Amino acid sequence: HVQLVESGGGSVQAGGSLRLSCAASGRTYIKWCMGWFREVPGKEREAIATIDSSGITAYADSLEGRFTISKDNDKNILYLQMDHLEVEDTALYRCGASWDVTAPAYLGRIAYPWSGYWGEGTQVTVS
């Protein structure tokens, strides 16, 4: 079991940047694969990026280049650096964690409730 708490969201102008954080607590000694996805009401959840315990990453094709995922293993914090933000990036950003899965595989399932644990999310609004 792991608890995930996101932070760092807010309002930003188009073209700006934000860095989101996801603090993990609980059974952090497990080699979790973690990642980010986003939600917009009326749309399907969209996977963004994942990173496994050894640092291997996977990205959604449409977002790689503007978004960068990273992790501080000592602090058990997951990050998402978002640059060149667009109005279309407005969403609730949530982090997730799963185990016994590779980063690419988790990218394909993170947006589904059965995939593992989710945080409550942090809102990003781009105008």
Side-chain angles (χ1 to χ4, degrees), residues 46-125:
E46 181 181 15
I48 299 171
T50 53
I51 184 168
D52 69 14
S53 59
S54 61
I56 295 174
T57 59
Y59 289 89
D61 290 342
S62 61
L63 298 173
E64 188 171 14
R66 293 194 301 122
F67 290 10
T68 304
I69 191 171
S70 62
K71 188 169 58 168
D72 185 327
N73 288 323
D74 292 335
K75 297 180 179 179
N76 296 312
I77 299 177
L78 178 73
Y79 298 102
L80 183 68
Q81 177 67 40
M82 306 187 295
D83 299 316
H84 306 294
L85 284 163
E86 303 169 356
V87 172
E88 293 74 23
D89 294 319
T90 295
L92 180 68
Y93 285 72
R94 303 178 72 174
C95 67
S98 188
W99 64 98
D100 196 27
V101 64
T102 66
Y106 190 40
L107 187 67
R109 66 181 72 167
I110 187 173
Y112 296 94
W114 48 261
S115 66
Y117 297 96
W118 286 355
E120 293 298 315
T122 184
Q123 179 68 36
V124 171
T125 302

